[in-house]
Amino acid sequence: MKFLNENFLLTRSETARELYAKIRDLPIIDYHCHLDPAAIAQNARFRSITELWLGGDHYKWRLMRHAGIAESHITGDACDHEKFAAFCATIEDLIGNPVYHWAHLELKQYFGFDGVISSENAAEIYAMCNSQIERDDFNVHELLKKARVEWLATTDDPADSLKHHKKIAADNTPGVPKVLPTFRPGGALEIEKEGFASYVKRLGDAAGININDWDGLLAALASRMDFFVDTGCKISDHSLEPPVFDPDATDDNAAAVVKKALSGERLSAGEIIVYKTRLLSWLGGEYHKRDWVMQLHMGVQRNNNSRMLRLAGADTGFDCMSDANFSLALARILDDMESRDALPRTILYALNPTVDDMLATMIGNFAGRGIRGRMQWGSAWWFNDNKSGMTKHLLTLANHGIVANFIGMLTDSRSFLSFPRHEYFRRILAAQLGEWVDNGEFPRDMNRLGKIAENIAYFNVKNYF
């Protein structure tokens, strides 16, 4: 039985269908993901659909736990066929869940499967997918070409050698997208973590600088930023859990905190905030000098299940939304940079949708400087990248600003099959624009509407970076 036809999510509106036709085949720029650059550099192949589809996908793993699947069939040692069958059994009850849609879109786009996934046909789907995976031309490069990815940005530690990015750039294989690194200095900011001193040593080794004080740390980070620039970097990324700011923090205070941390002394909560305030302030200025975009991810409460953290590790599906308040700290962080003419173009993300209106209005505080869309509220993220979350995001942006400035969708994914999420978003975008028109809230000017849809789907992000 065929599922997900051309009018998926668009059936109520001819306007929506016309708009989707305009944006359906535009290239994809995936400006924030967690794909492994080594797999791209090596043009990796896969042993089975289980490795390709379920490996590292905590979205699917969480749902399998909800369905009562044993951990052996999720992150454990069950065989690939058993894990695949367990996920197919889970799929059957996912009415209303975005993973139901994504899973079907992924199998349709990459394997030509347009039926309905179920426990009854799991073995058939498994064999069909694996027969294609075994072909010589089934590899990472072909998957990226098939998805029409123009360029993507991975997420990389400042101490990384970026050897895989260099290899990808040097190979210049036709049709393979550019793969740019993203500078994510969480290890340098997280001074409260047990491994801070060892991380600083690794950072110093990468920079060729012996870091034993605040100045050495800044010099090493600046050196690595320059190295990232040489490899095409134009984006930084931070996970702030939560944002903090001390208006009385100084470089001298931060220097004392670094000295104390590197000597193994315990830090107070206030000292940690002083350090993070000064380092993030300095980093923002450095990003601005290099014309980078700064991403701030907020509102995550990580590793809540300590037992499963020990058994399965981090990023395996035990994180959730945080309800910590952070609007004042965030405003102070941005104002500190803006007051010094050091605020880079910035994308804000938050995991808890209760702060959607706050973020949509926060970006208005620092808009301007003659730059269209200078401040962005990034795409509906993680637990929000579903139909209702994306729709709410578009409505909120429209209520408080100019939704036509939005730079659109990203996957934030570790899976090479995740790019149909862009199709999902584009369908939802076309449906929302069509609804505004069909309700009489905007004229049915298909030239203007088409431009808005094309800009949000592709051209805004292309121009922003």
Side-chain angles (χ1 to χ4, degrees), residues 96-222:
N97 190 288
V99 173
Y100 190 84
H101 297 147
W102 295 348
H104 285 87
L105 288 171
E106 288 162 7
L107 290 190
K108 182 176 182 178
Q109 177 169 326
Y110 294 104
F111 297 95
F113 176 80
D114 58 9
V116 175
I117 303 165
S118 69
S119 54
E120 284 76 17
N121 63 7
E124 176 187 344
I125 298 171
Y126 185 77
M128 180 271 294
C129 291
N130 286 343
S131 68
Q132 296 187 44
I133 288 171
E134 290 169 2
R135 295 196 320 244
D136 291 341
D137 64 349
F138 196 100
N139 51 51
V140 162
H141 289 179
E142 291 305 314
L143 292 174
L144 293 172
K145 291 178 189 177
K146 195 165 190 175
R148 302 184 308 280
V149 180
E150 182 173 309
W151 65 263
L152 60 86
T154 58
T155 309
D156 309 279
D157 191 278
D160 196 296
S161 70
L162 301 184
K163 64 180 182 180
H164 301 300
H165 294 84
K166 293 178 181 178
K167 183 178 187 304
I168 296 164
D171 286 350
N172 198 26
T173 304
V176 176
K178 292 181 179 179
V179 179
L180 308 182
T182 295
F183 189 82
R184 183 163 175 157
L189 270 161
E190 293 165 353
I191 196 169
E192 75 278 16
K193 296 290 179 68
E194 185 176 337
F196 177 75
S198 61
Y199 175 77
V200 166
K201 173 68 166 58
R202 185 161 73 89
L203 177 66
D205 290 344
I209 294 173
N210 183 22
I211 303 175
N212 51 30
D213 58 16
W214 171 249
D215 290 337
L217 176 64
L218 300 189
L221 287 167

Side-chain angles (χ1 to χ4, degrees), residues 33 130 138 200-201 229 296 321 332 372 400 420 431:
C33 74
N130 286 343
F138 196 100
V200 166
K201 173 68 166 58
V229 166
L296 302 180
M321 299 176 185
R332 286 176 169 173
R372 183 178 177 91
H400 297 300

